[in-house]
Amino acid sequence: MKLQLFKVTLAVIMVFAVLAGCSGNAGNGNNSNNEKGGNAGATDNAGGNSGESAQKEEPVTLKVSFFQGGYGDSWFVWLKEQFEQQYEHVTIELEGNPKMNEIIQPRMESGTNVPDIVFVDDSLMRKWGPAGLLTDITDLYQEPLADGKTIAGTITDSTDNAMDVFGKRYGVPWTKLTQGIIYNVKLFEENGWTYPETWEEMEGLVEQIKAKGIAPFTYPGQYPMYLFPFGHAAYLQYGGPEFIEKLTNPSEEDIPSLYEHAGFKRAYGLLEGMIQEDWMLKGTLALNHTESQMEFLRGKAAMILNGEWLENEMKDALPEGFSMRMMPIPPAADAVVKEPVIESLTSGFGGIPSASKNQEWAKKFLLFTSTEEANRKFTELTGSSRAFTYSVDGLPISDFTKSVLEATNTYKTIALVYKPQALEESPGIDAYSAIASGSKTVDEVVEVNMKLSPDKWKEKQKLLNTQ
């Protein structure tokens, strides 16, 4: 396109030069139509083509800051290339960092070096939105995308709920994150093991695995949140839907008794049993995410508590012929919900800081990221899903990615979406860390949470009343 524009512009200059020479005028060799925005195909919507006439556009630079973790940066690089190709006067500056969630907070809160678009943890959206640090983009959900669809019409129901902050939308969802148990397919096949349908079957399988001198499980022990998919599935299985509703949307009357609920006690008790009965690879607590994942890939552990990003994050370390599969958490006989459950929730958001000087172009970019083409490209490049409904037919995705999609389409899913007043699951102590390390028993964790939750509730209400 740029080459064609150059040829056309050059021809116009030559014609005017000849005419100027014939009339005896000095002429003007400067051509004002030399910005990248002189393309008649530029449009005002996210990817459409209105056929508007060529006109001079002022150069625009959009800075996009994003958390660069397991999904890498390839999708953002693709977005940059495609957006700049469509809007030739716009330059996208990418800033990715594995610590972006921490780096961006003081910048946002001080108004210093603030980007035009952020893609970070969605908990920050719920913090920044009511504080006035993010632009309200509720109306953007109804804007037509390039493919004629809308964000409102394609976002999943649970994700739409997760994006709701006091009735407003301050961002678009980034990914649909699925977490569960991932097992080594080849190891299972070689030993004749099958993935269990019940927790009792899991207990039997664990003994068979240990008998082979292999650790049944590992996880990134430095980061207790990797235990969440197990715990959250267990909350639903042993507490039921009513417990989930109270946990995510409690009233003052629910505090503090909520934190001694049987759903908590059973979930924590199962985890405590796993630790005490040596289900975990020795030394797991000291491992970070890549270290634990390497141990799993080496066959040191038959299963790992992890998420759909694992394959992409470890693509350069995958042994030849290695195969893995994502599966749900099986229920025990005393479960209230007697079904395998897998966690599938919204992870991250894309939003526009209020301090951005390029509000309209930032909105165009967010719309651009939410088309079916962009969603499909995300899945193709990362092996993961976005939180929209879209087709993946024909995409060159791995067997592992297929297993993730199959798991979320086959089994009951859980996604804890906490209302603003909720204290979440552990207001007094990091329950998972305490139990996994053995520093506290289940009863001690429950006691601490019950004791501290009333004061935490009052603090939360005071905070909400100031917003």
Side-chain angles (χ1 to χ4, degrees):
M1 181 64 73
K2 290 181 181 178
L3 182 58
Q4 292 174 338
L5 178 61
F6 174 75
K7 290 178 178 178
V8 171
T9 304
L10 182 59
V12 170
I13 292 172
M14 293 175 65
V15 168
F16 274 100
V18 171
L19 291 175
C22 292
S23 63
N25 293 332
N28 186 352
N30 294 327
N31 189 327
S32 62
N33 190 24
N34 61 358
E35 273 91 323
K36 288 192 288 182
N39 183 352
T43 68
D44 268 346
N45 61 20
N49 188 346
S50 64
E52 65 185 44
S53 60
Q55 55 182 301
K56 178 180 177 180
E57 295 276 10
E58 292 296 325
V60 175
T61 298
L62 286 179
K63 187 170 185 177
V64 181
S65 298
F66 62 96
F67 170 73
Q68 187 173 341
Y71 301 119
D73 65 356
S74 58
W75 185 60
F76 287 99
V77 171
W78 179 85
L79 290 171
K80 168 184 167 65
E81 293 172 348
Q82 296 298 310
F83 199 79
E84 288 179 345
Q85 180 178 332
Q86 182 165 325
Y87 301 105
E88 294 186 333
H89 66 293
V90 178
T91 299
I92 304 293
E93 288 187 0
L94 299 178
E95 180 194 19
N97 194 297
K99 295 184 177 180
M100 185 57 71
N101 289 328
E102 293 79 27
I103 292 171
I104 200 67
Q105 292 190 60
R107 287 164 51 181
M108 287 285 292
E109 290 161 13
S110 67
T112 304
N113 191 20
V114 177
D116 297 291
I117 300 111
V118 291
F119 274 84
V120 288
D121 189 87
D122 49 291
S123 65
L124 296 174
M125 175 187 69
R126 288 181 280 278
K127 175 183 178 182
W128 291 339
L133 299 180
L134 290 173
T135 299
D136 178 1
I137 60 168
T138 304
D139 292 345
L140 206 64
Y141 272 53
Q142 305 296 335
E143 287 288 322
L145 302 170
D147 49 24
K149 300 176 182 178
T150 63
I151 294 173
T154 55
I155 193 173
T156 60
D157 290 340
S158 62
T159 299
D160 192 31
N161 187 28
M163 291 291 107
D164 186 319
V165 182
F166 298 114
K168 296 181 179 180
R169 304 292 188 275
Y170 294 101
V172 298
W174 187 356
T175 71
K176 183 177 72 175
L177 188 152
T178 300
Q179 303 175 93
I181 295 175
I182 300 171
Y183 73 88
N184 183 325
V185 172
K186 185 176 181 181
L187 199 59
F188 270 56
E189 290 176 348
E190 289 175 346
N191 289 279
W193 302 328
T194 57
Y195 190 81
E197 296 182 3
T198 68
W199 194 255
E200 289 76 18
E201 290 178 1
M202 176 67 81
E203 292 172 334
L205 172 62
V206 162
E207 293 307 313
Q208 295 179 51
I209 295 173
K210 288 164 66 175
K212 290 286 186 176
I214 302 169
F217 281 93
T218 190
Y219 75 97
Q222 291 185 16
Y223 309 110
M225 74 279 293
Y226 278 84
L227 294 170
F228 286 179
F230 164 79
H232 295 172
Y235 295 165
L236 177 59
Q237 289 166 329
Y238 305 103
E242 298 80 8
F243 171 59
I244 298 298
E245 173 62 24
K246 281 190 175 183
L247 175 60
T248 57
N249 187 22
S251 64
E252 187 171 8
E253 291 71 29
D254 296 321
I255 309 296
S257 60
L258 171 65
Y259 293 99
E260 65 173 351
H261 192 282
F264 276 131
K265 288 188 173 182
R266 184 63 167 132
Y268 294 159
L270 286 172
L271 174 60
E272 187 176 57
M274 294 168 70
I275 301 300
Q276 293 177 348
E277 294 169 21
D278 296 324
W279 285 31
M280 297 296 172
L281 175 70
K282 188 175 182 180
T284 282
L285 278 180
L287 301 178
N288 63 26
H289 59 299
T290 53
E291 290 168 342
S292 65
Q293 289 160 189
M294 277 304 305
E295 294 299 276
F296 171 66
L297 297 182
R298 290 169 179 154
K300 300 296 185 180
M303 294 174 280
I304 185 170
L305 287 159
N306 215 285
E308 63 180 86
W309 61 84
L310 189 153
E311 183 177 55
N312 186 64
E313 190 168 57
M314 303 299 289
K315 61 186 176 184
D316 295 330
L318 288 173
E320 185 176 353
F322 187 85
S323 178
M324 54 187 168
R325 185 173 181 82
M326 173 77 77
M327 294 299 286
I329 313 298
D334 64 335
V336 175
V337 175
K338 299 182 184 297
E339 297 181 55
V341 176
I342 193 164
E343 185 169 59
S344 184
L345 67 161
T346 304
S347 176
F349 82 105
I352 304 170
S354 304
S356 168
K357 304 300 183 184
N358 297 297
Q359 292 286 321
E360 293 308 310
W361 281 106
K363 289 177 181 179
K364 292 179 194 293
F365 186 80
L366 282 188
L367 288 172
F368 189 82
T369 70
S370 305
T371 62
E372 175 142 342
E373 181 185 11
N375 294 335
R376 283 172 56 85
K377 181 58 69 170
F378 180 84
T379 297
E380 178 184 339
L381 293 173
T382 69
S384 299
S385 307
R386 298 206 70 209
F388 297 92
T389 57
Y390 60 98
S391 170
V392 295
D393 291 346
L395 290 182
I397 54 180
S398 70
D399 288 341
F400 175 68
T401 298
K402 291 176 183 176
S403 80
V404 173
L405 298 173
E406 181 181 334
T408 55
N409 289 333
T410 302
Y411 301 105
K412 183 176 287 293
T413 61
I414 180 72
L416 299 184
V417 180
Y418 293 97
K419 297 299 181 181
Q421 77 275 13
L423 301 181
E424 302 190 8
E425 58 207 89
S426 201
I429 190 172
D430 185 340
Y432 292 95
S433 179
I435 292 171
S437 66
S439 65
K440 291 217 180 316
T441 65
V442 171
D443 288 341
E444 289 171 337
V445 166
V446 169
E447 182 181 353
V448 171
N449 284 335
M450 287 187 66
K451 181 180 179 180
L452 295 182
S453 60
D455 287 340
K456 293 285 186 179
W457 175 269
K458 292 175 184 176
E459 291 174 12
K460 192 67 176 284
Q461 306 320 303
K462 187 183 296 183
L463 176 65
L464 291 175
N465 289 334
T466 65
Q467 295 178 345

